[in-house]
Amino acid sequence: MERSKQGSLHGPNEKRDAGESAGKGYGTGGGRTRRPGAPAGDSCGSPASPDVETWREERARSVEDNQISLPGLAAAYTTILRGLGEDPQRQGLLKTPWRAATAMQFFTKGYQEEIIDILNDAIFDEDHDEMVIVKDIDMFSMCEHHLVPIFGRVHIGYLPNKRVLGLSKLARIVEVYSRRLQVQERLTKQIAVAITEALQPAGVGVVIEATHMCMVMRGVQKMNSKTVTSTMLGVFREDPKTRDEFLTLIRS
Amino acid sequence: MESIHASEVKAICKGKMVTKHLNEVNEVCMQKGEFGREDKGHKESEDVVRLSVIAKSYAGILKELGEDVDRQGLLRTPLRAAKAMQFFTKGYRETTDDILNDAIFDENHDEMVIVKNIDMFSLCEHHLVPFFGKVHLAYLPNKRVVGLSKLARIVEIYSRRLQVQERLTKQIATAISEALEPAGVAVVIEAIHMCMVMRGVQKMNSKTVTSVMLGEFQENPKTREEFLILTKN
């Protein structure tokens, strides 16, 4: 995800509106985003393409940042309410700017979380090399084009290479990347890349089936349309039978 | 920056206050097209100004959330989001009289007419997050019937606003009641609130059901029961 033109970490003292680059610095940069033992800035061996930032290079928005930006967000929402012709002073809307601002910060809380923290060292050596699938993971995201919800289900499968991941961590990886302003294609790829970087498995498959409110509530207004995207890495990409097994098992 | 207060443009729909039965609600209807052409042009340019104000606010929101507003995916997002939000609140600019389009017919019919499974999309006025679901409505004509699609259009007018599900249900029932003066009106809405599903308590499968029964539907349990059975999926 192109959050910044530069991939380097920002120090904790850098102000958010420093302005010298297009990127924004946040309070908790530091070295915490690097996986222990991994060389700094190394992405040569990873399957990440240049436009998908590896989670080694992520910076986090902090809780303090949220508190600082809340009044600005609330003021913006007040202006929006007036611009729509509503009366921000009527009882139902009095606290709406604050609620909407807090809600929007929650919907983008993925920016506050780092994969390294999510994984929580829940990677275990296990002599298992058969497919592991976690399916029907509820996913809620925000369309970055219209700021309107996207929701659906994520199905993840991977072939461990003697290392397995705590199952809930797969769902947590989905949460980190989905709670952002997203495009479904990118979200799918980011989840797959994160699992690959964390576990180095023989292969990863991610399928997302989602409903986009921007298509349902407005625009073309197709109520029943769903968008399906998938990313297949490693054996899932190279071996059709493995891919078939995965796709069959998530459908059942 | 313009400061437009909705209370300053409280509308009167052909002499009848639609808020007659909803004293506690400060409803906003935009003034019906009794303006001349020059006023229509003035309204359009006003809309353009409002659009740019809303877009500017969205650009500010993106920055405050920590995003990079210059990246390719977000370049036109403020404008798109502003237009989307205007679409989601287009109900403020429509009135029942506009959409009924005189599609009220004298018909010697006094049995229940039901239109069910009307898809409804609205915005929670507390969190500005969508809620959506289905509306089932029925009325007992008093020799006057309305074009069926007009019932769905009435749902659209009131749902495309910042709403509370209870109020939405009542507004739809009241609008049908005032337009047709039928023997009874019933409206049931079953909706999912993204503010409960995507955030807060995060209950994925919860649905909220509200209903308003007027006239015969309120007084006669059998009539009400017939409606509820016929709309049960």
Side-chain angles (χ1 to χ4, degrees):
Chain A
M1 181 182 75
E2 303 145 25
R3 287 194 52 215
S4 161
K5 302 282 190 293
Q6 61 200 31
S8 63
L9 302 170
H10 294 285
N13 293 325
E14 179 167 339
K15 297 220 183 322
R16 283 172 61 240
D17 55 351
E20 75 273 8
S21 73
K24 304 286 184 283
Y26 290 99
T28 58
R32 295 205 297 128
T33 56
R34 285 207 199 95
R35 196 166 137 254
D42 171 37
S43 59
C44 319
S46 83
S49 57
D51 58 340
V52 174
E53 197 177 82
T54 76
W55 51 262
R56 288 197 188 89
E57 293 159 6
E58 288 176 357
R59 291 125 301 141
R61 187 176 83 190
S62 69
V63 172
E64 292 76 30
D65 287 325
N66 282 351
Q67 283 166 355
I68 292 167
S69 55
L70 200 58
L73 280 170
Y77 275 112
T78 306
T79 310
I80 288 171
L81 288 177
R82 285 211 187 91
L84 295 173
E86 261 286 10
D87 175 13
Q89 299 306 311
R90 71 171 173 86
Q91 189 205 36
L93 295 184
L94 265 179
K95 292 186 65 174
T96 292
W98 292 93
R99 282 186 292 244
T102 314
M104 191 54 106
Q105 284 184 334
F106 182 87
F107 297 147
T108 55
K109 71 179 172 69
Y111 295 141
Q112 284 168 235
E113 293 156 349
E114 296 170 333
I115 296 287
I116 190 81
D117 290 333
I118 297 298
L119 292 180
N120 204 20
D121 293 327
I123 296 174
F124 308 104
D125 296 317
E126 200 69 40
D127 187 19
H128 185 82
D129 57 5
E130 296 285 342
M131 201 180 292
V132 177
I133 295 175
V134 180
K135 63 179 191 171
D136 294 332
I137 301 169
D138 287 312
M139 177 277 296
F140 301 94
S141 190
M142 292 293 276
C143 160
E144 72 175 19
H145 299 142
H146 301 92
L147 303 184
V148 165
I150 301 168
F151 56 89
R153 293 198 159 163
V154 181
H155 312 289
I156 299 173
Y158 73 100
L159 269 170
N161 195 2
K162 307 297 185 195
R163 282 148 58 98
V164 299
L165 182 62
L167 296 170
S168 75
K169 303 302 177 274
L170 292 167
R172 288 185 187 274
I173 290 174
V174 169
E175 271 286 290
V176 168
Y177 286 117
S178 60
R179 297 288 187 180
R180 299 182 177 192
L181 304 184
Q182 274 289 8
V183 159
Q184 189 175 329
E185 296 87 335
R186 186 199 308 135
L187 171 61
T188 318
K189 199 164 191 174
Q190 283 177 321
I191 294 168
V193 164
I195 297 167
T196 304
E197 288 186 348
L199 288 180
Q200 276 120 35
V204 175
V206 177
V207 173
I208 300 185
E209 193 176 319
T211 302
H212 291 240
M213 297 309 283
C214 54
M215 269 183 74
V216 168
M217 278 181 80
R218 59 163 291 289
V220 71
Q221 294 190 69
K222 295 295 179 188
M223 308 293 156
N224 301 315
S225 69
K226 285 190 173 178
T227 304
V228 183
T229 52
S230 62
T231 297
M232 304 289 170
L233 299 176
V235 175
F236 283 79
R237 179 177 272 198
E238 290 148 18
D239 183 359
K241 285 197 177 297
T242 308
R243 191 158 66 241
D244 272 346
E245 181 184 339
F246 170 60
L247 294 174
T248 305
L249 286 171
I250 62 174
R251 249 181 249 133
S252 60
Chain B
M1 193 175 346
E2 261 189 87
S3 165
I4 301 133
H5 292 278
S7 54
E8 293 162 0
V9 285
K10 200 157 58 172
I12 299 168
C13 302
K14 272 217 172 131
K16 279 189 268 188
M17 290 293 288
V18 184
T19 54
K20 172 165 81 172
H21 301 291
L22 300 163
N23 295 327
E24 68 279 13
V25 173
N26 184 11
E27 190 187 59
V28 176
C29 303
M30 296 311 286
Q31 189 90 33
K32 199 192 148 178
E34 283 148 11
F35 299 121
R37 261 191 211 146
E38 56 277 9
D39 288 310
K40 195 177 175 189
H42 174 69
K43 267 182 63 99
E44 276 167 5
S45 63
E46 220 178 75
D47 279 345
V48 167
V49 168
R50 289 191 205 195
L51 189 69
S52 68
V53 165
I54 299 172
K56 202 169 163 195
S57 298
Y58 272 116
I61 287 170
L62 291 177
K63 284 200 189 91
E64 295 284 357
L65 291 175
E67 263 286 6
D68 174 8
V69 291
D70 294 320
R71 69 172 173 87
Q72 190 205 35
L74 293 186
L75 268 177
R76 293 188 48 153
T77 292
L79 191 60
R80 282 187 291 245
K83 282 188 186 169
M85 193 51 109
Q86 281 195 331
F87 182 85
F88 297 147
T89 54
K90 69 181 172 71
Y92 289 133
R93 296 182 281 285
E94 295 160 349
T95 65
T96 323
D97 283 318
D98 286 334
I99 55 101
L100 282 179
N101 203 20
D102 295 325
I104 297 176
F105 309 104
D106 296 316
E107 199 70 39
N108 190 12
H109 185 83
D110 55 7
E111 296 286 343
M112 202 182 295
V113 176
I114 300 175
V115 180
K116 62 179 191 173
N117 293 331
I118 302 170
D119 286 310
M120 177 278 296
F121 302 93
S122 190
L123 276 185
C124 158
E125 72 175 19
H126 299 142
H127 301 93
L128 302 184
V129 165
F131 69 95
F132 54 88
K134 292 200 190 264
V135 180
H136 313 292
L137 48 84
Y139 69 102
L140 274 168
N142 197 1
K143 309 297 183 191
R144 281 151 52 100
V145 300
V146 70
L148 296 170
S149 74
K150 304 301 178 273
L151 294 168
R153 287 184 189 274
I154 289 175
V155 170
E156 271 285 290
I157 286 183
Y158 289 108
S159 59
R160 297 290 186 178
R161 300 181 178 192
L162 304 185
Q163 275 288 8
V164 159
Q165 191 176 326
E166 296 88 333
R167 184 198 313 138
L168 170 61
T169 319
K170 201 160 191 177
Q171 284 176 326
I172 295 169
T174 308
I176 299 170
S177 210
E178 287 184 349
L180 291 179
E181 286 153 356
V185 176
V187 178
V188 171
I189 300 184
E190 192 175 318
I192 296 175
H193 290 244
M194 298 308 284
C195 56
M196 268 182 77
V197 169
M198 279 181 80
R199 59 162 292 288
V201 71
Q202 295 189 66
K203 293 296 180 188
M204 308 292 157
N205 301 315
S206 69
K207 285 187 173 180
T208 305
V209 182
T210 51
S211 63
V212 168
M213 307 286 168
L214 300 177
E216 194 66 20
F217 287 92
Q218 190 172 44
E219 290 150 19
N220 186 342
K222 286 204 173 296
T223 310
R224 189 159 65 244
E225 201 184 324
E226 182 184 338
F227 165 66
L228 294 172
I229 289 171
L230 287 170
T231 54
K232 198 173 172 182
N233 283 331

